[in-house]
Amino acid sequence: MTSQILGNELTNLISESKRKNTDLRNAAEKSLQDLKALPSTSEQQLAADLIRRPAFVSPFLLACGTKNSRLAGIGISCLQRLIASHGLPKERLEEVLEAFKESASLGLDVQLKILQALPPLLQGYADELNGELLANALQVCSMLQTVKSAAVSNTAAATLQQLFTAVYEKVAKEDASDPDGPFIDEISTEEGPIAVRGAARDAYKVTDGQKPQYVHFSTLPQASCLEIIEAILTSHSGIFATHDEQEAILRLRILPLTTRCLSEKLNFTVTLRIFRILSVILRKFVSQIPAECEIPLGLLNHMLDGDVVPAWKRNLCMEIFRSLYTDYRLFLELFTHYDSFEGRKSIIKDNFAAFVRLATEKPAKIGLGQQSTAPIGSSGTNGDNTIDQAAVEAGGVAGVIGTGGLGVAEVNVPGISVQLSSLKTPCLDQLDKVEAPAVPETYVYSLVLTCLTSVSDGLAKCVLPMSIHQISKDRRKKKGRTPGVAEIRDTPLSPGIQDRPSETTPRPVLTRSTSYRIRSVPLNPLDLVSDSSHEVVKVAANLINECWPAVLATCSTFLYAALDAEFYHSLVRSIQKFTQVAGVLRLSTPRDAFLTTLGKAAVPPNLTSAVVSTAAAPNGEGKVFTNAKGLLSVDSIISQTSSISEDRKRRQSTSIEADMPNLTTRNLLCLRALINLAIALGPTLETAWSIVLETLQSADIVLAAFSNKAIAGEYRTGSSLGTRNEVDPASASNLNAEIKAVETASSRMFDNTGDYPDDAFLQVLKASFGVFFGKHVSSQPGSPAAEEFQRPIALPPRRVGSISSLPNSVHVHSQEYTLALNKIREISRANHMRLVVHKPAESGWDFLMSELIKIAASITAANSVRGLAADILRERLFATADSTRKQDTATRSTVQRRVLLTLQSELDALMEERHRHMKESDFYVLETILETLKDVLDACGESLIDGWASVFKIISSVFERHEQDILEEPKQNGASHQSNAVRLMSGKLGRIAFVCTQIVYSECRGSLPTSFLSVLSDTLLLFTLQFNDLNMSLTTISIFQDVSEFLQKQVVLSELENLQSSLQADAESPTVVIKESAQVKISAVWLSLLRHLTTIAGDERSEVRYTAVRTILTIFDHYGELLSSSAWSLLISTVLFKLIDSNTEAQRRARTRKDLNDEDIESWDGSSKIILGGVAEIFSGFLQSITRTADFSNLWQTMMAYFEFYLSFHSHSLNASVFKTLTTIMSKAEGAVTLGKPALNRVGTIWASGLPTGSSTDNAEAKQEAFIAYTRALQELCRLTERGMTTDQISTIVDNLEQCVRESDGLSYSGDIDFLTPLQKEVLDIIRLLRTDLPGAPSTVLEMLAAFVSLPFDKDKDDGYKTSLTFVALSKTAMRQLGQFIEQHSENDELYTSDSLASALASLVIPINLKYKWRLEGNKAPPPWQLATSTVLAVLHTTLRKARTTSPATELRNVIAQAVSIAENIAAADISTLTSRSKVQTDVEFDIESFKTLHNLLVPYLGSTSIPSSLRKSYTQILF
């Protein structure tokens, strides 16, 4: 291709030069021939052939010298082709350059072709093109740059720049190819000679800025020269760093030039290039020439102030600083060289100070207001600004706040936005402009924001990676981003925020270790002394320490300016990174300052003030917080968006609404940034947590207020007061998404506290309570803390680092504390396992629990606050206890004890002022304590092994009096009934406590220590004695029985025997001894339980008494066979006698109280009957074991004393029970030996002491029952003591029995005419059992029978008898028994020597005498007079013969006298009273026969000399 082109061009030269230039034609022809002679193989071969033929280029050189544009153009074109193909002979380079010079003045086409040839010439012949040749080439470019044609001039300038660049490329190649090559020349500088190599010499010569001696440049434009300098500095900065001669040029020529130009008023074109050169120098050479750069840097800062320089020049300064801040190494190096260097001017610090002045010089231009807005009219390409503006104009919370109805509506204001405040091409890059371009006034502010962003990014890149613990590559890939860096995701105001992942992955369970999540604490890079970047980090720390006030001031200003979404987001991110860097470096002052700024931006103080003022207003009290759910619980807010209008019109009104400020997405963005910082710096924040938490507290107040306003529809729009707010749905959705994002971040923040070390977590807790509650509340009503809590508490006072700016007089609704407690709940949940595993003092357990207890027990706090604190305690304590079920014993014991002690502490705090009246909230807290205990017991079950003292103390707290009052030793004299004092504080509390007790027994009894088994028994006693719930008492008694069964299986008989010995040896009361023993011995616990049942047996409620007594008796019955004699002795003396004693004392009290009626006394009698019946069953069932006890005699005597006490109450019901008991016991004795003579004698004494006496209220049945029991007891006593009975005893028995019969009453619906009463039958039976072999016994018995015979008739005569009995059947039966008795004892002289026989006959005379006068004959034959007649005849038949020989004369006369009287009554009859005489004849016949019989018996004895004549006379008269 080249061969053909060259051939064509040579042909053209030949054609054009035929007549005008023969030399040119000849040379062209020759070259054409040479060309044709060359083989046409390849371009490379052609170039090699042509380079060996120097004459080949002659026609082209001649063509350039003709000054003919046509010919010169062909020549230049061919030379360019040869240069490009490397076919130009090197020896002709100088001629070629001369040809270019000669042709430089020709036409445009030629000039352009020359410029096209020069770059390849310098590239292809670099080694040959040096010295003069290089100078000639540069001179050609400079000549062409002066051409008027802009195309040529600009191209020449570019080519010249390219050539200069090529010169420096040669230097670089030279240095690279032979770094240690020899120096070939020496150049002179102002600082002395410098040895250089060839290329370096050329570079120095062409760039030396003094008077041209080497290259004779044409007059070049300043702009072109400056561009060349910039290009060289940019492209070959390394040469200036390694070549002293180049550094000298930079320091002595270029930098002074730029410094001078900065101070001069040059045109834009020159100034722009000067700034560009300075920018390159500062970015690339400041470390080489720091001293020389100080002045220009100072000038740059100076030019940022006010009106010192034109706006465009200030923009150039800002763009330079923007470039400097792009590289953190560079601006840290600047800080090192200047700000940290003594004696030099502070550059970075002054620059940030200039930013402060810039930000505040024209507030109107940046739209500075009470809070940030979006610039009006700005619209980003992606629609974010539109959405943001819509959200701002909508008034913040979707469907909640009016478009301008809550404060100053910032509309129609300028601002800073990507669209209106940025340039597509920076000023420094607008080289084509002659005049300064039109730049938005806010452009400089956008540059400031960009600088802040760059600085923050740079500091973050420098510092934050060093704060991260080393992790594996796999973990790093899994996380996907640099851990530890607090980030705000891109486009935070766009709907895409909804795609954020939530922190729902559960953390692994924590275990005890020497280092608790140490990786969660960011490393302090300043401590990494061995790290290679340590010095850089130190510089960064110094920079922050020195410059943070200016940075903070600038950021604070722009936070309230009108910024679009991108700028505002970048600003917040910058603040966030500044804060995080300061935080990881442990620079607390700047960190806290930035946190405070973010907090104020998140919740503006004026907004909080307005909300709180509304809440405290008289007409608004209670409305603001009624629907609050805590931070970002926005269910009620989001629900409002469904009714939002489609109207998207923006307000243009500048009017000011006077209600309240707006809450916008920007506030939420700042809040999220603050929360993210807390997430990243949490373990290192220490006291700075108060800033974060104060902000969250204020946010809660505001969001709660807005939520309620949304529901009430109270907010107004800016354009139409009184109408509901209408918000663009897109902005509403965007805002709701931001709220959700903040909520997620907040939850994550609290969750992350679970990874903190203990000391850091404790700081979080202290800050939480310090911020949310100020001073700690107290249960003491007079304390300052209580007074502080009693009134609505203002936010904490203003302090350094605090976001709170509300006046102390502002009152806040108690819901504020509810929201605060919800946050504390979240924190405690996130740190659950820490609180479980770690030491309470170190983990924060002690602090958390004590503070919550103070709030729950406070007498001044609102009910809702106290209730929530109690609920949090319940949740934590239950969760803690529940988590230990599968732990080892030691851990489980420690944690359980801690949990229950904490619960007890809460109870103690609540009960500290027990004397005060319990309020509703007090009852709720106590209920929560009990519910917590129930939950813990239910969760732990048998795994509960510690904390029992607290368990029972909490349970017993529901009683109004403590168990010491109940468990005292009963007093015998005047003791009040203790059970009356046991009452529950409330039924509901009692039921919960009772359930706890049931759980303890049913699920935890296996792990219950012995000492607390006794406490369980005491607690059950309290539940039984309480008067609020009868069913509870009865149920508790059943539990007593179950507990007894459980204990009895573990009872050791030897322990009972030892306890018996202790009781006998110890002077203390049994209660004290047993209680002490119950701490270590199960047997003593069992005994104590039985004694408690005896206490219950004295309860005033009959159902309770009966059940308790039956339970005791059941227990004795079930386990009596297992007890030894010693054990029986112990149980009888300590349990059974206590039961009886309790009952007798209750009986005594009942009979002395005037408020008790007969039914009450009868009820007590019923209990006594059950007890006595139980005693009978116990003694009768286990008599053998009981009688073997060593102290049986004492036990029996004691029991008899109790029986006498019962008898002293004069109640036939009790009398019957006592004697039944005695009867039952004696019935089981096989003989007198079983009980022993002393015991039987004691019974006999009781029996002989008198007939049982009752009261006026006793009925006949009771009396009859008592008398029957009385007689039956005598039967058993007689059975056992028959051989040892004396005459006196028999006499006493006879007297008592006779009195018993005489005083008995008839029963309802029954008579005793034909049949004996049970009592009469018992008495007659006993008479048969009496010994009659003793002297005087027969006559005594006979006299009693005679008395029974005459009893009906004596009663009829004596009006003193009040009984309804007739005694007829008794009399008839006694007649028969009398006859039998006399017949049985007819040989006994005592009948004849005493008057008993005469008395017996005299008693029989009475019914015979009253033959027809006595009407109560009954239906059973024979009538009394006939039976008496028959009996008399039998008696006389049996006794007369013996009487005549044995009886003294007097006694015989009496017998005969009675016989004569009988004969008289038989013979006589008064029939006048008869109504019917149908049976008279039969009676006459009976009397005749009887008289005959009597006559036959009597006549033989009438003749006796001892019989007086009067008797015979009387008898004779009867006959006649």
Side-chain angles (χ1 to χ4, degrees), residues 304-558:
L304 293 178
D305 288 338
D307 299 327
V308 175
V309 294
W312 60 267
K313 202 168 187 179
R314 186 163 65 165
N315 292 336
L316 292 176
C317 293
M318 282 303 307
E319 289 186 359
I320 288 181
F321 279 113
R322 179 178 64 182
S323 65
L324 296 179
Y325 289 133
T326 302
D327 185 359
Y328 74 88
R329 296 178 182 83
L330 178 57
F331 68 74
L332 290 178
E333 190 174 11
L334 290 174
F335 186 83
T336 302
H337 288 310
Y338 302 107
D339 299 70
S340 300
F341 198 93
E342 187 176 356
R344 290 181 182 171
K345 192 172 185 179
S346 298
I347 300 302
I348 300 299
K349 189 174 181 180
D350 290 350
N351 185 240
F352 287 141
F355 288 173
V356 177
R357 295 189 291 273
L358 264 173
T360 57
E361 66 180 4
K362 295 179 181 180
K365 291 299 180 183
I366 63 174
L368 196 62
Q370 290 187 348
Q371 61 187 100
S372 179
T373 60
I376 299 301
S378 63
S379 178
T381 56
N382 59 358
D384 290 347
N385 290 342
T386 302
I387 294 174
D388 187 51
Q389 176 64 20
V392 173
E393 291 183 358
V397 179
V400 177
I401 308 169
T403 53
L406 297 180
V408 179
E410 310 284 354
V411 297
N412 283 341
V413 294
I416 306 171
S417 66
V418 174
Q419 181 185 10
L420 300 178
S421 304
S422 300
L423 298 178
K424 292 183 179 180
T425 304
C427 292
L428 284 174
D429 294 338
Q430 297 191 25
L431 297 172
D432 57 332
K433 295 293 192 296
V434 178
E435 299 293 335
V439 177
E441 287 188 83
T442 55
Y443 176 59
V444 67
Y445 306 117
S446 70
L447 292 175
V448 173
L449 291 171
T450 304
C451 288
L452 293 176
T453 300
S454 298
V455 172
S456 64
D457 289 343
L459 290 174
K461 291 177 182 178
C462 171
V463 175
L464 295 185
M466 295 181 63
S467 68
I468 304 168
H469 295 269
Q470 295 296 324
I471 57 176
S472 65
K473 293 182 179 179
D474 294 338
R475 285 187 60 190
R476 188 180 292 110
K477 290 178 181 179
K478 187 174 181 179
K479 292 188 176 183
R481 65 177 179 90
T482 303
V485 180
E487 289 289 343
I488 301 178
R489 298 179 183 268
D490 292 336
T491 63
L493 304 180
S494 65
I497 197 168
Q498 297 175 350
D499 298 331
R500 290 187 182 88
S502 60
E503 298 291 334
T504 57
T505 304
R507 296 188 310 276
V509 176
L510 299 179
T511 56
R512 187 184 301 273
S513 63
T514 56
S515 176
Y516 185 90
R517 296 286 188 183
I518 193 63
R519 293 184 182 272
S520 66
V521 183
L523 294 174
N524 185 353
L526 292 175
D527 295 337
L528 305 178
V529 181
S530 60
D531 194 279
S532 59
S533 302
H534 180 256
E535 292 301 322
V536 179
V537 173
K538 287 177 61 179
V539 175
N542 292 334
L543 184 148
I544 294 173
N545 264 331
E546 293 292 329
C547 302
W548 73 262
V551 175
L552 178 63
T554 307
C555 293
S556 299
T557 302
F558 284 112

Side-chain angles (χ1 to χ4, degrees), residues 972 1093-1095 1097-1098 1109 1112-1113 1131-1148 1164 1167-1168 1170-1176 1178-1179 1195 1198-1206 1209 1218 1221 1225:
Q972 298 296 333
L1093 283 171
T1094 64
T1095 302
V1109 172
I1112 295 174
L1113 300 179
L1131 291 177
I1132 292 172
S1133 60
T1134 60
V1135 178
L1136 193 60
F1137 287 170
K1138 185 176 184 295
L1139 174 65
I1140 299 173
D1141 184 77
S1142 173
N1143 185 255
T1144 55
E1145 181 62 21
Q1147 285 279 10
R1148 185 191 63 77
W1164 280 108
S1167 300
S1168 300
I1170 296 175
I1171 292 173
L1172 291 170
V1175 172
I1178 292 171
F1179 273 81
L1195 295 177
T1198 302
M1199 187 168 68
M1200 294 304 103
Y1202 282 124
F1203 287 175
E1204 289 177 331
F1205 199 11
Y1206 277 120
F1209 294 135
V1218 169
T1221 301
I1225 296 173

Side-chain angles (χ1 to χ4, degrees), residues 113-133:
K113 289 180 179 180
I114 292 173
L115 292 173
Q116 292 176 358
L118 285 175
L121 177 64
L122 191 58
Q123 292 179 2
Y125 299 90
D127 295 336
E128 292 77 13
L129 201 62
N130 50 42
E132 293 297 330
L133 293 178

Side-chain angles (χ1 to χ4, degrees), residues 829-861:
R829 284 175 177 172
N831 291 270
H832 166 64
M833 287 309 298
R834 174 205 309 279
L835 296 172
V836 173
V837 175
H838 285 217
K839 295 180 179 179
E842 298 175 359
S843 67
W845 172 277
D846 289 347
F847 179 80
L848 175 64
M849 295 298 112
S850 65
E851 295 304 308
L852 288 174
I853 288 172
K854 289 177 184 177
I855 298 170
S858 171
I859 62 176
T860 55

Side-chain angles (χ1 to χ4, degrees), residues 1140-1350:
I1140 299 173
D1141 184 77
S1142 173
N1143 185 255
T1144 55
E1145 181 62 21
Q1147 285 279 10
R1148 185 191 63 77
R1149 286 194 302 269
R1151 282 166 167 75
T1152 57
R1153 289 172 58 181
K1154 297 180 180 181
D1155 58 333
L1156 294 183
N1157 53 34
D1158 294 342
E1159 292 182 358
D1160 295 328
I1161 295 178
E1162 184 178 351
S1163 175
W1164 280 108
D1165 289 348
S1167 300
S1168 300
K1169 290 172 66 177
I1170 296 175
I1171 292 173
L1172 291 170
V1175 172
E1177 291 179 7
I1178 292 171
F1179 273 81
S1180 62
F1182 309 100
L1183 187 61
Q1184 294 297 326
S1185 298
I1186 294 174
T1187 54
R1188 292 195 188 101
T1189 60
D1191 59 343
F1192 171 74
S1193 178
N1194 294 332
L1195 295 177
W1196 186 266
Q1197 295 298 327
T1198 302
M1199 187 168 68
M1200 294 304 103
Y1202 282 124
F1203 287 175
E1204 289 177 331
F1205 199 11
Y1206 277 120
L1207 295 174
S1208 68
F1209 294 135
H1210 304 294
S1211 169
H1212 280 311
S1213 177
L1214 296 178
N1215 297 336
S1217 298
V1218 169
F1219 287 109
K1220 285 180 179 179
T1221 301
L1222 289 171
T1223 301
T1224 303
I1225 296 173
M1226 291 186 293
S1227 67
K1228 296 298 181 180
E1230 296 178 358
V1233 179
T1234 303
L1235 293 175
K1237 185 176 181 181
L1240 294 174
N1241 289 339
R1242 188 72 176 87
V1243 175
T1245 302
I1246 294 175
W1247 195 94
S1249 62
L1251 192 67
T1253 58
S1255 64
S1256 59
T1257 59
D1258 289 332
N1259 55 31
E1261 286 79 2
K1263 189 175 184 180
Q1264 181 83 349
E1265 183 182 10
F1267 286 175
I1268 292 175
Y1270 181 73
T1271 57
R1272 288 178 179 173
L1274 179 61
Q1275 287 182 356
E1276 293 298 330
L1277 184 62
C1278 292
R1279 180 180 68 84
L1280 296 174
T1281 61
E1282 181 180 4
R1283 293 296 99 194
M1285 195 174 295
T1286 64
T1287 303
D1288 293 339
Q1289 291 175 340
I1290 293 175
S1291 178
T1292 302
I1293 291 172
V1294 168
D1295 292 341
N1296 288 356
L1297 289 177
E1298 182 179 353
Q1299 184 182 2
C1300 184
V1301 171
R1302 289 179 180 275
E1303 293 186 4
S1304 64
D1305 279 330
L1307 301 178
S1308 301
Y1309 310 107
S1310 63
D1312 65 336
I1313 297 177
D1314 295 321
F1315 301 97
L1316 292 171
T1317 65
L1319 175 63
Q1320 295 167 358
K1321 184 177 183 302
E1322 292 289 342
V1323 170
L1324 293 176
D1325 289 342
I1326 292 173
I1327 292 175
R1328 295 189 182 97
L1329 297 176
L1330 294 177
R1331 288 184 62 181
T1332 56
D1333 57 340
L1334 298 175
S1339 59
T1340 301
V1341 174
L1342 186 59
E1343 289 175 357
M1344 186 186 72
L1345 290 174
F1348 286 163
V1349 170
S1350 61

Side-chain angles (χ1 to χ4, degrees), residues 547-690:
C547 302
W548 73 262
V551 175
L552 178 63
T554 307
C555 293
S556 299
T557 302
F558 284 112
L559 275 175
Y560 298 94
L563 306 178
D564 68 353
E566 184 173 342
F567 273 117
Y568 194 83
H569 178 75
S570 298
L571 175 62
V572 174
R573 184 165 53 188
S574 300
I575 297 174
Q576 188 175 354
K577 290 184 178 180
F578 271 119
T579 310
Q580 187 172 2
V581 171
V584 298
L585 293 174
R586 309 305 192 267
L587 305 177
S588 59
T589 302
R591 176 201 65 194
D592 293 354
F594 280 105
L595 287 174
T596 302
T597 300
L598 272 178
K600 290 182 178 179
V603 186
N606 59 328
L607 174 61
T608 312
S609 299
V611 171
V612 174
S613 298
T614 302
N619 59 351
E621 186 173 0
K623 293 182 179 179
V624 172
F625 300 105
T626 50
N627 196 46
K629 297 183 180 179
L631 175 63
L632 307 175
S633 294
V634 293
D635 299 341
S636 60
I637 298 176
I638 297 174
S639 64
Q640 306 301 317
T641 59
S642 60
S643 61
I644 293 175
S645 171
E646 294 294 332
D647 182 18
R648 293 193 176 188
K649 294 181 180 180
R650 302 190 175 198
R651 300 186 316 264
Q652 301 299 325
S653 171
T654 58
S655 63
I656 298 178
E657 293 291 328
D659 288 335
M660 295 169 64
N662 294 338
L663 179 68
T664 68
T665 53
R666 301 193 170 191
N667 300 123
L668 298 176
L669 177 65
C670 293
L671 181 59
R672 184 153 56 92
L674 183 69
I675 295 172
N676 286 337
L677 282 169
I679 294 173
L681 300 176
T684 65
L685 282 181
E686 298 178 343
T687 57
W689 269 105
S690 61

Side-chain angles (χ1 to χ4, degrees), residues 96 197 215 417 502 602 658 664 718 943 965 999 1082 1085 1168 1202 1260 1496:
V96 171
R197 288 188 285 271
V215 181
S417 66
S502 60
T664 68
S943 65
D965 301 325
I999 295 174
I1082 292 290
V1085 176
S1168 300
Y1202 282 124
N1496 294 330

